[in-house]
C-alpha cells in the first residue's frame, strides 16, 4: 500500500468513526416511501437468508408502480442485516417515525391470508417494531411534536391498543398479541405522563372499558378490553418513576404521581371488581391470566404510588391475594405475582409507623395463616412436597414480614412473636440453600435489634425469650455451611457463590456470639462436631473418607467464633486441635478450613504449646497442596504473630522458608514439583520476620546472633538479585520483581533489638535500630536495584514493586533518616521515567514531595525533579491520542502536580512551567478516564486554593510576585479550562466527578468563583450557549450570588441533570450520560 493509499484509508476510517451511518440511504420525509424502506429493513433483519430477502426485495421493488427511484435504497437495505439494523436505529430518531409507525400499526385494508405464515409473521414483526419505536419516542422525543398534536397521538395510541387487544380473540386474554399490547400500553403510559393526562384512569374506565362513574358496580360494557386496561394501569406507575422517561419539566412527573395517588381508591375498586368477576366464573372458567394481571397491577401501584394505607385496610383485595397464595389452583406465575404483592405491601407499610398500624394488624393473621402448623397448611404442605417455587415464595413472605415488623417482634407486648421467628427458622432450615439464604438478612437485623435494645435488663429479657430460637439457628447455620456433595464437579463461578454464602452464614453465627456468649455458642458447635465425628466413625471405612462435609462445616463455624473464645477454654478447642491432624489429608476443602481454624486460634495455641507442635508439620504439608496453600501460609503467619510465650517459631518457620526458596530454585532449574505462589510465600516470610523479631527482642540475644539472623534472611535476596542483574542473565523481570517484593517484606517486618542509650526510651531505641537496618539494606542493594531496573526498563510490574519498596523504606525509617538517599532516588526516578514513561515513578515522586516538600532546604531539588519529570511527560503526551494511550501517566502526573501545589506551591507558581501545566490539564480534561479526570481536577482545585491563600496573606514583595505569576497563568490559560468544565456539565465531556468533596467540577468552580468571579462569569457564559435557559439562569445566579459550597453542589448536579435531559429531548447522545459522579 502506498503512502497516499494509507492516508486515504485512515481518512475513511476517521470519517466512519465520526459518522458511522454515512453509508446509509437518507431518510425520506415521505411517509409512504419511508414506510416501504422500514418494511424492507425489517425483512432483511428477520429473514432467515438476507440474500434471498434481497432478491425478493429487488423483484418487489422493480415491479411496484410507486417504487420510483427508491429501488437502490431498498435493495441496499434488504441486502445487509447490519445496514438494515443501523437504518432502523437511525429511523427511530427521526420525526417521520411518528407517522410511519402509526401507519404500520393501522389495520390492513386487505386482510392477510391466514394460510401464509410468513406474511403473518412479517405483520407481527412490523407492528411490534412500530409499537416499540413509539414507546421510545414517547419517552424521549415528544418535543418533536407540537403540543396541540398530543391529544391526537393519544387517541391514535389508544385505538391501536384496543384493536390489538380485541384481535386476540375470545377469552379476555391477550393471546399471541400480549407483547404488542404491552408495548402499546407502555407508549400510552409514557405519553400520559408527558402530556399530563391527569384523567387517564377515569377516561379509560369510562371510555374504553365502559364503566360509568355513577354506576361503578355495573359490569363493564366492553369486558374484552379489561385486560388491555389492566396492562395500561399496571404500567402507569412504572413509567412515571422510570429514569428513562425524559421530561422537559420534571415537576410534571411529581404532579402526575400525585394524580395517581388521588386515583388509587378507584383503582383498588376496579381491581377488586375485576378479580371477583373473574373468580365468579367458577374454577373451570376462571382466567388465570386475568388474575395474574390484576396482581401485577396491584403490585405496581403498591410499589410506586404512595397512597395512604387506609386504601388497603380491611380490603377484600388483600384477602383475595392471600387466598391466591393458599389455593393450590393458583400456581406458577400467578402464585409468584401474589407473593410479589404481599412482599411489597409488607415492605411499603412496615410496623414502624403508627399510620400503618391497622393495616399491619390486618395483614398479620392472613400471613400467619399461611404458616399454620397443621399438615394441611400451605407452608407445611409445600415443605412436605419440597416444591421449590412454593417454598421460595413463602420464604420471601415470612422473611420480609419479619424484617418489616421487627419493631413488633422487639416490642414489650406479648404478641406471640416467637411464632413468626419460628417460621423464619423453618425457612432457614429448608434444604435448598439458595432458598434458605433468603433469610440471612433477617437474622442480621434480628441480632442488631436485640443488641440495640435498651435498657440492658429489657435486652437481656428479650435475649432469653429468643434463646431457644438462637440455639436452633446455630444448628441450622452449621447445616447451611455444608459443602454440597458434588462440590468438586461444580463450576468455578458456582463455587465462588458457595464460598460467599458460607461467609454470610458465618457472620450470622458470629452475631449469635454477641448475644448468647462465645462459650455457649462454642459448646453448641462443639457438641455438633463431636456428634458428626461419632457418626462418621460409625460408617464403613470406605465411606469415612468421602463423608467429610459435616465435620468441615462445624470447623468452619468454630473458626468464625474464635475472637469470642478466651485463651483458657479447655473443653472444646483441645478436642478440635487434636482432631485436625487426624483428618483426611487429601481433601482440599477440609484441609483449608482446618488451616484457617488453626490460624484463628493462634493466641489460644500460644497458651497450649503441647497442642501446637503436632500442627506445624500439618501446616507445612498443607503448603504443598495448591488449593489450601494460601490458608496454610496465612495460618503460619498468624502463629508467628501470636506464639512466643513458651515456644519460638522463628527458627522452624525460617527453616521452612529456606526450604520454599530452595524448591523454587530447583523448579527454575527444571525439577518437577509444585511451586508455592509468591503471595503465599510472602505470607510465610512475613511470619518468619515477625517471629525472629520477637525472638531477638525477648530472648536477649547478642549482636552476633542478630547479625547472623539478618544475614540469613537478607543475603539470599542479594545473591539472587546479583545473578539477575548480571549481563548474561536470561531471567525475566518477573523474577526480579519477586526479589524486590521479598526485600520489601523484610524491611517492613524485620525488627532488630537495640539497647536504649542513656535518656532514651525503648521505643526510640527500637526506631533507631529500624532506621539503621533500613539504611544499611538500601545502601547495600541500591546498585543492584538500579541495575535490574535498567535491564528491564519498561516492565511496569517491576517499576511498581520498586517504588513500593522506596515508599516503605521512607516511611519505615522516617524522612529525616532516609534523607541521604533522596538525591540518588531523585536521579533514579527521573532517569527511569524518562526512559520508560511508566507511571509508578511519578507516584514515587509524589511520595517524595509529600514527605520532604515542606523542608525548605530540599524544595529546590524537589522542584527540579518535578520540572524534569514534567519535561518527560510533555514529550510523551504530544497529541490527544497520546493522552488516550497513557491515562495512567496523566493520572499520576496530575496527582503529583496537585501534591506539589499543595505542599510547596510557591516555587512552582513562579516557575515558567505553570502555564504549560494548565495547558496540559485543559487537554487532559477531555480524556475519558475516571482517575485521570480526578487527578486533573484535584490539581486545578489546589491551584485555586493556593490562589485564595495568597489573597488573605500579608502583602510582601515576594508574595506580590507569586500572586502576579499565578494571576497571569490563570488569565492566560483559564478560559479553555472553564470551557471544559462547562462542556462536562453540558454532557459534551466526561463528568465523572460532579460534586465530590475533593477534585470535582463543583469544587473547582467554587474556588474559581471565590478567586476570580468576574473572569469566571466572563468565560462560562459563552460556553453555556446550548444549555436550557431556566436551569442555566439558576446555575449562573448561584455563581453570581456566591452561594455556599453545599448549595453549589446541589446546583451543579441539578444543572447537569437538566442538561442531560435536554440532550435526550433533542435526541443527542451525551458523553457523560453514563458517567455522572457517584
Amino acid at each position: 500500500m502506498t503512502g497516499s493509499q494509507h492516508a486515504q484509508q485512515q481518512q475513511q476510517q476517521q470519517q466512519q468513526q465520526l459518522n458511522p451511518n454515512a453509508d446509509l440511504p437518507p431518510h425520506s420525509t415521505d411517509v409512504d416511501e419511508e414506510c416501504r424502506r422500514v418494511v424492507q429493513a425489517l425483512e432483511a433483519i428477520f429473514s432467515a437468508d438476507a440474500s434471498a430477502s434481497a432478491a425478493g426485495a429487488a423483484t418487489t421493488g422493480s415491479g411496484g408502480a410507486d417504487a420510483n427511484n427508491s429501488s437502490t435504497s431498498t435493495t441496499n437495505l434488504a441486502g445487509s442485516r447490519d445496514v438494515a439494523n443501523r437504518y432502523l436505529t437511525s429511523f427511530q430518531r427521526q420525526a417521520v417515525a411518528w407517522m410511519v409507525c402509526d401507519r404500520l400499526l393501522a389495520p390492513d385494508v386487505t386482510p392477510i391470508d391466514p394460510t401464509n405464515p410468513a406474511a403473518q409473521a412479517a405483520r407481527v414483526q412490523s407492528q411490534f417494531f412500530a409499537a416499540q419505536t413509539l414507546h421510545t419516542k414517547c419517552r424521549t422525543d415528544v418535543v418533536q411534536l407540537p403540543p396541540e398534536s398530543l391529544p391526537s397521538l393519544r387517541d391514535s395510541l389508544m385505538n391501536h391498543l384496543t384493536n390489538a387487544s380485541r384481535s386476540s380473540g375470545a377469552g379476555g386474554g391477550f393471546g399471541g398479541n400480549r407483547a404488542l399490547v404491552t408495548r402499546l400500553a407502555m407508549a400510552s403510559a409514557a405519553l400520559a405522563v408527558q402530556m399530563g393526562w391527569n384523567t387517564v384512569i377515569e377516561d379509560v374506565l369510562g371510555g374504553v372499558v365502559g364503566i360509568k362513574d355513577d354506576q361503578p358496580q355495573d359490569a363493564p360494557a366492553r369486558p374484552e378490553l379489561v385486560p388491555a386496561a389492566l396492562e395500561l394501569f399496571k404500567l402507569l406507575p412504572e413509567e412515571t418513576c422510570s429514569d428513562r422517561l425524559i421530561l422537559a419539566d420534571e415537576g410534571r412527573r411529581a404532579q402526575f404521581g400525585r394524580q395517581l395517588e388521588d386515583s388509587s381508591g378507584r383503582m383498588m375498586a376496579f381491581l377488586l371488581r375485576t378479580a371477583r368477576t373473574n373468580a365468579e366464573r367458577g374454577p373451570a372458567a376462571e382466567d388465570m391470566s386475568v388474575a395474574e394481571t390484576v396482581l401485577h397491577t396491584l403490585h405496581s401501584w403498591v410499589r410506586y404510588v404512595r397512597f395512604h394505607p387506609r386504601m388497603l385496610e380491611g380490603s377484600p383485595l388483600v384477602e383475595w391475594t392471600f387466598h391466591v397464595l393458599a389455593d393450590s389452583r393458583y400456581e406458577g406465575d400467578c402464585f409468584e405475582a401474589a407473593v410479589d404483592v404481599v412482599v411489597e405491601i409488607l415492605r411499603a407499610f412496615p410496623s414502624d409507623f403508627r399510620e400503618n398500624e391497622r393495616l399491619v394488624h390486618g395483614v398479620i393473621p392472613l400471613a400467619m395463616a399461611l404458616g399454620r402448623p397443621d399438615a394441611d397448611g400451605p407452608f407445611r404442605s409445600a415443605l412436605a412436597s419440597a416444591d421449590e417455587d412454593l417454598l421460595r415464595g413463602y420464604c420471601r413472605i415470612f422473611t420480609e414480614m419479619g424484617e418489616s415488623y421487627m419493631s413488633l417482634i422487639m416490642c414489650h407486648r406479648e404478641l406471640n412473636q416467637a411464632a413468626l421467628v419460628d417460621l423464619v427458622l423453618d425457612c432457614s432450615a429448608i434444604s435448598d440453600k439458595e432458598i434458605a439464604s433468603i433469610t440471612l438478612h433477617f437474622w442480621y437485623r434480628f441480632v442488631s435489634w436485640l443488641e440495640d435494645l435498651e435498657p440492658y435488663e429489657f435486652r437481656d429479657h428479650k435475649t432469653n425469650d429468643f434463646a431457644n430460637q438462637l440455639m436452633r439457628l446455630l444448628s441450622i447455620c452449621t447445616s447451611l455451611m455444608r459443602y454440597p456433595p458434588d462440590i468438586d464437579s461444580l463450576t468455578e463461578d458456582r463455587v465462588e457463590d458457595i464460598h460467599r454464602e458460607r461467609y454470610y452464614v458465618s457472620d450470622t453465627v458470629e452475631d449469635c456470639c454477641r448475644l448468647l456468649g462465645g462459650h455457649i455458642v462454642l459448646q453448641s458447635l462443639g457438641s455438633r462436631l463431636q456428634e458428626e465425628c461419632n457418626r462418621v466413625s460409625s460408617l464403613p471405612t470406605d465411606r469415612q473418607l468421602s463423608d467429610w462435609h459435616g465435620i468441615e462445616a462445624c470447623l468452619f463455624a468454630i473458626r468464625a467464633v474464635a475472637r469470642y473464645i478466651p485463651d483458657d477454654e479447655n473443653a472444646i478447642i483441645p478436642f478440635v486441635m487434636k482432631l485436625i491432624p487426624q483428618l483426611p489429608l487429601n481433601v482440599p476443602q477440609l484441609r483449608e478450613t482446618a488451616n484457617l481454624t488453626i490460624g484463628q486460634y493462634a493466641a489460644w495455641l500460644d497458651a497450649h504449646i503441647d497442642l501446637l507442635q503436632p500442627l506445624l508439620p500439618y501446616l507445612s504439608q498443607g503448603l504443598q497442596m495448591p488449593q489450601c496453600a494460601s490458608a496454610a501460609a496465612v495460618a503460619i503467619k498468624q502463629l508467628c504473630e501470636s506464639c512466643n510465650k513458651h515456644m519460638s517459631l522463628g527458627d522452624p518457620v525460617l527453616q521452612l522458608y529456606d526450604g520454599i526458596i530452595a524448591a523454587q530454585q530447583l523448579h527454575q532449574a527444571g525439577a518437577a514439583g509444585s511451586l508455592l505462589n509468591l503471595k503465599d510465600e510472602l505470607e510465610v516470610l512475613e511470619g518468619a520476620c515477625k517471629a525472629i523479631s520477637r525472638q531477638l527482642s525477648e530472648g536477649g540475644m547478642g549482636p552476633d546472633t542478630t547479625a547472623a539472623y539478618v544475614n540469613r534472611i537478607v543475603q539470599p535476596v542479594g545473591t539472587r538479585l546479583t545473578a539477575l542483574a548480571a549481563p548474561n542473565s536470561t531471567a525475566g523481570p518477573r523474577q526480579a520483581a519477586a526479589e524486590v517484593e521479598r526485600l520489601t517484606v523484610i524491611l517492613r517486618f524485620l525488627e532488630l533489638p537495640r539497647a536504649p542509650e542513656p535518656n532514651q526510651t525503648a521505643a526510640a531505641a527500637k526506631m533507631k535500630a529500624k532506621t539503621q537496618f533500613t539504611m544499611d539494606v538500601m545502601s547495600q542493594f541500591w546498585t543492584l536495584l538500579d541495575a535490574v531496573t535498567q535491564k528491564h526498563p519498561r516492565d511496569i510490574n517491576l517499576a511498581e514493586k520498586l517504588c513500593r519498596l522506596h515508599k516503605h523504606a521512607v516511611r519505615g525509617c522516617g524522612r529525616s533518616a532516609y534523607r541521604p538517599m533522596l538525591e540518588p532516588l531523585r536521579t533514579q526516578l527521573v532517569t527511569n521515567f524518562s526512559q520508560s514513561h511508566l507511571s509508578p515513578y511519578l507516584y514515587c515522586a509524589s511520595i517524595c514531595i509529600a514527605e520532604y516538600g515542606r523542608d525548605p532546604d530540599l524544595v529546590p531539588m524537589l522542584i527540579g525533579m518535578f520540572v524534569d519529570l514534567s519535561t518527560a511527560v510533555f514529550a510523551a503526551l504530544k497529541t490527544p491520542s497520546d493522552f488516550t494511550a497513557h491515562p495512567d501517566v496523566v493520572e499520576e502526573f496530575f496527582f503529583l502536580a496537585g501534591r506539589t501545589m499543595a505542599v510547596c506551591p510557591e516555587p512552582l507558581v513562579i516557575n515558567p512551567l505553570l502555564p504549560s501545566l494548565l495547558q496540559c490539564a485543559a487537554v487532559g480534561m477531555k480524556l475519558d478516564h475516571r482517575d485521570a479526570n480526578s487527578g486533573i481536577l484535584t490539581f486545578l482545585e489546589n491551584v485555586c486554593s493556593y490562589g485564595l491563600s495568597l489573597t488573605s496573606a500579608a502583602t510582601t514583595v515576594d508574595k506580590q510576585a507569586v500572586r502576579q505569576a499565578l494571576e497571569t497563568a490563570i488569565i492566560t490559560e483559564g478560559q479553555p479550562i472553564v470551557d471544559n468544565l462547562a462542556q462536562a456539565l453540558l454532557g459534551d465531556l466526561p463528568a465523572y466527578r460532579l460534586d465530590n468533596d475533593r477534585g470535582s467540577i463543583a469544587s473547582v468552580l467554587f474556588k474559581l468563583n471565590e478567586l476570580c468571579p468576574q473572569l469566571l462569569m466572563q468565560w462560562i457564559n459563552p460556553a453555556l450557549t446550548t444549555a436550557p435557559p431556566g436551569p442555566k439562569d439558576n446555575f449562573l445566579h448561584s455563581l453570581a450570588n456566591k452561594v455556599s459550597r453545599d448549595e453549589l453542589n446541589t446546583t451543579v448536579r441539578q444543572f447537569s441533570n437538566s442538561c442531560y435531559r435536554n440532550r435526550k429531548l433533542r435526541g443527542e447522545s451525551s458523553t457523560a450520560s453514563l458517567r455522572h459522579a457517584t
Side-chain angles (χ1 to χ4, degrees):
M1 182 181 294
T2 65
S4 60
Q5 289 175 326
H6 181 71
Q8 185 178 6
Q9 184 180 25
Q10 280 189 327
Q11 185 178 8
Q12 291 175 349
Q13 291 175 348
Q14 291 175 354
Q15 291 176 347
Q16 181 68 18
Q17 290 176 351
L18 293 173
N19 186 10
N21 294 330
D23 59 332
L24 297 181
H27 293 283
S28 174
T29 57
D30 181 85
V31 176
D32 292 333
E33 172 61 26
E34 190 66 11
C35 194
R36 279 194 296 270
R37 294 184 185 180
V38 169
V39 171
Q40 291 283 353
L42 288 169
E43 287 178 357
I45 289 175
F46 290 106
S47 173
D49 186 348
S51 60
S53 176
T59 303
T60 304
S62 62
D66 297 326
N68 298 329
N69 296 325
S70 65
S71 59
T72 302
S73 300
T74 54
T75 301
N76 185 28
L77 291 174
S80 168
R81 282 197 179 119
D82 174 64
V83 172
N85 183 63
R86 288 189 288 115
Y87 186 86
L88 292 175
T89 302
S90 174
F91 160 79
Q92 290 181 312
R93 297 192 293 267
Q94 307 301 313
V96 73
W98 294 102
M99 294 296 294
V100 171
C101 291
D102 185 67
R103 183 77 57 84
L104 290 173
L105 287 165
D108 289 324
V109 176
T110 304
I112 297 176
D113 183 358
T115 63
N116 187 349
Q120 289 182 326
R123 175 65 175 161
V124 170
Q125 292 157 2
S126 64
Q127 285 190 323
F128 182 79
F129 170 76
Q132 184 183 48
T133 300
L134 287 176
H135 176 220
T136 301
K137 296 186 77 64
C138 284
R139 278 180 163 181
T140 60
D141 294 342
V142 173
V143 291
Q144 293 177 341
L145 301 173
E148 59 271 15
S149 69
L150 296 184
S152 175
L153 173 62
R154 174 196 62 196
D155 296 342
S156 178
L157 278 174
M158 292 305 299
N159 284 333
H160 294 317
L161 176 62
T162 55
N163 290 335
S165 183
R166 283 194 176 104
S167 66
S168 61
F174 295 119
N177 282 343
R178 173 139 203 171
L180 177 60
V181 171
T182 299
R183 190 60 66 168
L184 287 169
M186 294 171 77
S188 302
L191 181 62
V193 185
Q194 290 277 13
M195 64 183 295
W197 185 13
N198 294 329
T199 59
V200 57
I201 305 296
E202 292 76 9
D203 292 348
V204 171
L205 288 178
V208 176
V209 179
I211 298 176
K212 299 179 180 178
D213 290 344
D214 56 346
Q215 296 176 343
Q217 299 304 319
D218 288 355
R222 290 173 286 278
E224 74 277 7
L225 295 181
V226 168
L230 285 172
E231 194 72 13
L232 175 59
F233 293 156
K234 178 191 75 172
L235 292 165
L236 280 171
E238 295 178 12
E239 287 292 325
T240 304
C241 298
S242 173
D243 292 336
R244 297 184 178 183
L245 182 67
I246 308 299
L247 298 166
D249 180 8
E250 272 297 311
R252 185 168 292 173
R253 189 193 304 269
Q255 180 183 357
F256 194 82
R258 288 191 294 271
Q259 188 61 42
L260 291 180
E261 294 174 24
D262 295 340
S263 302
S264 56
R266 186 162 189 188
M267 179 54 54
M268 297 302 120
F270 171 66
L271 294 177
L272 175 60
R273 181 175 53 196
T274 303
R276 279 178 171 172
T277 303
N278 187 50
E280 287 169 357
R281 296 179 178 180
E286 184 176 3
D287 190 339
M288 292 300 172
S289 66
V290 172
E292 180 186 340
T293 309
V294 169
L295 290 166
H296 282 309
T297 306
L298 177 58
H299 172 262
S300 177
W301 279 69
V302 174
R303 181 173 185 178
Y304 295 109
V305 182
R306 297 181 177 180
F307 54 78
H308 196 276
R310 64 172 171 268
M311 295 294 173
L312 298 177
E313 291 170 5
S315 170
L317 191 60
V318 176
E319 296 178 4
W320 172 75
T321 304
F322 278 95
H323 168 70
V324 171
L325 293 170
D327 192 331
S328 60
R329 292 186 303 111
Y330 300 92
E331 56 184 8
D333 293 340
C334 194
F335 173 83
E336 189 172 340
V339 171
D340 290 339
V341 170
V342 172
V343 167
E344 203 59 51
I345 290 174
L346 292 168
R347 190 174 294 161
F349 304 103
S351 62
D352 306 67
F353 302 99
R354 177 175 290 274
E355 64 179 9
N356 299 335
E357 186 174 350
R358 289 187 59 190
L359 176 59
V360 168
H361 285 288
V363 167
I364 288 175
L366 296 173
M368 295 302 293
L370 298 175
R372 63 181 187 268
D374 57 279
D376 294 333
F379 179 50
R380 303 300 164 185
S381 298
L383 285 173
S385 63
D387 188 311
E388 291 184 4
D389 293 333
L390 294 179
L391 289 175
R392 182 178 290 103
Y394 294 133
C395 182
R396 287 180 59 203
I397 290 172
F398 296 141
T399 302
E400 190 64 46
M401 184 177 176
E403 293 188 37
S404 296
Y405 295 172
M406 191 67 73
S407 62
L408 291 180
I409 292 176
M410 298 298 171
C411 73
H412 292 74
R413 291 178 293 163
E414 173 53 44
L415 301 172
N416 194 24
Q417 294 96 325
L420 176 55
V421 178
D422 284 332
L423 280 175
V424 181
L425 272 172
D426 292 337
C427 293
S428 298
I430 293 173
S431 58
D432 188 317
K433 294 180 181 178
E434 181 185 353
I435 298 175
S437 64
I438 294 173
T439 65
L440 291 179
H441 188 255
F442 165 81
W443 294 117
Y444 167 76
R445 291 198 62 199
F446 180 76
V447 172
S448 298
W449 269 74
L450 276 175
E451 287 184 307
D452 292 340
L453 290 178
E454 292 183 354
Y456 172 80
E457 293 75 16
F458 177 63
R459 178 169 71 232
D460 192 50
H461 169 72
K462 273 293 182 182
T463 303
N464 290 335
D465 284 349
F466 292 116
N468 291 335
Q469 283 81 7
L470 290 170
M471 293 301 293
R472 184 183 166 203
L473 176 63
L474 283 174
S475 177
I476 291 172
C477 285
T478 308
S479 299
L480 288 176
M481 286 189 286
R482 286 177 67 108
Y483 278 117
D486 59 344
I487 182 65
D488 292 324
S489 62
L490 298 179
T491 64
E492 185 176 344
D493 289 343
R494 179 61 190 133
V495 171
E496 289 181 1
D497 291 341
I498 291 172
H499 285 161
R500 183 168 54 253
E501 291 165 3
R502 277 160 49 93
Y503 275 101
Y504 289 156
V505 178
S506 70
D507 288 342
T508 302
V509 174
E510 191 175 344
D511 292 339
C512 292
C513 286
R514 299 200 300 273
L515 291 172
L516 299 173
H519 63 290
I520 293 178
V521 172
L522 181 63
Q523 186 176 13
S524 174
L525 297 175
S527 299
R528 182 74 180 265
L529 175 61
Q530 291 171 339
E531 291 172 3
E532 192 66 25
C533 290
N534 292 335
R535 185 189 66 80
V536 172
S537 63
S538 66
L539 297 174
T541 306
D542 59 333
R543 287 186 54 195
Q544 291 183 8
L545 293 178
S546 60
D547 200 342
W548 50 267
H549 306 76
I551 294 175
E552 189 278 336
C554 293
L555 286 178
F556 195 81
I558 291 172
R559 176 208 62 83
V561 303
R563 65 178 178 148
Y564 298 96
I565 308 304
D567 294 347
D568 59 354
E569 200 284 329
N570 58 8
I572 303 300
I573 303 304
F575 170 77
V576 172
M577 296 305 164
K578 291 176 183 177
L579 172 67
I580 286 176
Q582 304 174 36
L583 296 174
L585 300 178
N586 297 319
V587 181
Q589 297 88 353
L590 177 59
R591 188 148 191 166
E592 179 183 27
T593 299
N595 292 341
L596 292 172
T597 304
I598 294 170
Q600 288 296 311
Y601 285 91
W604 185 92
L605 285 167
D606 190 30
H608 301 80
I609 201 66
D610 56 319
L611 295 173
L612 172 61
Q613 290 177 333
L615 297 174
L616 294 176
Y618 182 84
L619 293 175
S620 177
Q621 294 168 7
L623 292 173
Q624 302 172 25
M625 299 179 64
Q627 284 183 269
C628 60
S630 294
V634 170
I636 290 171
K637 182 185 74 172
Q638 290 172 321
L639 290 173
C640 291
E641 291 171 341
S642 300
C643 298
N644 206 48
K645 291 180 181 177
H646 304 96
M647 175 183 177
S648 173
L649 295 180
D651 284 312
V653 174
L654 189 55
Q655 185 176 359
L656 172 63
Y657 180 74
D658 290 341
I660 292 171
I661 296 299
Q664 287 179 342
Q665 292 175 333
L666 290 174
H667 187 273
Q668 292 170 5
S674 61
L675 187 64
L676 187 64
N677 184 282
L678 177 63
K679 178 178 178 294
D680 301 330
E681 176 210 320
L682 295 177
E683 298 277 13
V684 177
L685 176 59
E686 179 182 337
C689 289
K690 290 179 176 179
I692 290 295
S693 299
R694 294 182 66 174
Q695 181 175 321
L696 293 174
S697 176
E698 299 174 7
M701 299 180 181
D704 293 341
T705 304
T706 300
Y709 275 113
V710 170
N711 187 64
R712 183 178 172 185
I713 295 173
V714 176
Q715 191 57 44
V717 177
T719 302
R720 294 191 296 271
L721 270 177
T722 301
L724 292 171
N728 59 349
S729 174
T730 59
R734 192 172 184 177
Q735 294 182 35
E739 296 302 336
V740 174
E741 285 200 81
R742 294 181 182 111
L743 189 61
T744 302
V745 169
I746 293 170
L747 285 183
R748 291 183 66 191
F749 301 109
L750 185 60
E751 305 278 352
L752 303 184
R754 186 186 185 99
E757 298 175 359
N759 300 323
Q760 187 182 41
T761 64
K766 182 179 179 180
M767 184 62 193
K768 188 171 183 179
K770 178 72 173 180
T771 298
Q772 187 62 49
F773 170 64
T774 301
M775 294 298 294
D776 289 345
V777 170
M778 293 303 294
S779 299
Q780 175 186 347
F781 282 82
W782 194 275
T783 304
L784 291 174
L785 294 171
D786 201 34
V788 294
T789 53
Q790 290 301 313
K791 191 168 185 179
H792 308 287
R794 288 178 172 79
D795 186 78
I796 192 168
N797 182 52
L798 177 59
E800 286 177 350
K801 305 309 178 188
L802 179 66
C803 292
R804 183 169 175 267
L805 170 65
H806 285 302
K807 178 184 73 173
H808 287 294
V810 172
R811 294 177 176 173
C813 68
R815 64 174 67 95
S816 59
Y818 203 74
R819 182 171 173 173
M821 311 300 295
L822 185 59
E823 178 63 35
L825 177 57
R826 171 228 187 271
T827 302
Q828 186 184 75
L829 293 177
V830 172
T831 301
N832 289 353
F833 180 78
S834 300
Q835 292 177 347
S836 65
H837 297 150
L838 296 178
S839 58
Y841 296 117
L842 297 175
Y843 170 74
C844 193
S846 184
I847 297 297
C848 294
I849 295 290
E851 296 293 334
Y852 296 101
R854 290 180 174 84
D855 187 334
D857 296 333
L858 297 176
V859 166
M861 180 184 67
L862 294 173
I863 293 297
M865 174 187 69
F866 178 72
V867 170
D868 292 342
L869 290 172
S870 300
T871 302
V873 168
F874 295 155
L877 304 178
K878 294 179 179 178
T879 66
S881 59
D882 291 333
F883 281 78
T884 304
H886 303 287
D888 58 324
V889 173
V890 178
E891 171 196 348
E892 294 297 348
F893 175 64
F894 278 102
F895 275 120
L896 168 62
R899 183 163 284 178
T900 305
M901 184 60 68
V903 176
C904 46
E906 186 172 312
L908 178 58
V909 170
I910 61 177
N911 194 289
L913 183 67
L914 182 59
S916 299
L917 287 174
L918 295 175
Q919 292 174 11
C920 187
V923 177
M925 291 173 74
K926 301 177 181 180
L927 182 61
D928 189 0
H929 190 273
R930 180 184 298 274
D931 294 329
N933 197 262
S934 174
I936 293 170
L937 291 173
T938 300
F939 163 69
L940 294 175
E941 181 179 356
N942 289 349
V943 170
C944 296
S945 297
Y946 181 61
L948 290 172
S949 70
L950 289 175
T951 61
S952 59
T955 302
T956 63
V957 175
D958 292 340
K959 291 296 181 183
Q960 186 64 31
V962 174
R963 185 182 306 170
Q964 183 63 42
L966 183 60
E967 289 178 357
T968 301
I970 291 177
I971 292 172
T972 305
E973 309 297 340
Q975 182 163 357
I977 291 172
V978 173
D979 286 346
N980 287 341
L981 293 173
Q983 294 304 309
L985 293 176
L986 291 171
D988 295 324
L989 289 179
Y992 288 111
R993 299 175 66 84
L994 277 178
D995 54 0
N996 303 64
D997 290 338
R998 292 281 298 166
S1000 66
I1001 294 173
S1003 63
V1004 175
L1005 286 173
F1006 179 79
K1007 294 189 176 179
L1008 264 177
N1009 198 37
E1010 293 289 320
L1011 182 63
C1012 47
Q1014 293 179 345
L1015 275 177
L1016 176 60
M1017 297 300 288
Q1018 175 185 331
W1019 290 335
I1020 204 168
N1021 258 303
L1024 298 178
T1025 304
T1026 60
K1032 171 186 172 182
D1033 292 342
N1034 292 337
F1035 173 64
L1036 294 176
H1037 181 74
S1038 296
L1039 290 177
N1041 287 346
K1042 290 192 174 183
V1043 298
S1044 69
R1045 173 62 194 278
D1046 289 340
E1047 290 177 292
L1048 185 63
N1049 284 350
T1050 302
T1051 302
V1052 164
R1053 182 163 289 278
Q1054 290 175 345
F1055 178 61
S1056 178
N1057 290 338
S1058 298
C1059 292
Y1060 169 70
R1061 287 196 305 273
N1062 187 58
R1063 293 181 70 100
K1064 294 293 289 184
L1065 288 170
R1066 298 203 313 263
E1068 299 177 9
S1069 62
S1070 174
T1071 302
S1073 61
L1074 298 179
R1075 295 187 290 274
H1076 282 307
T1078 55

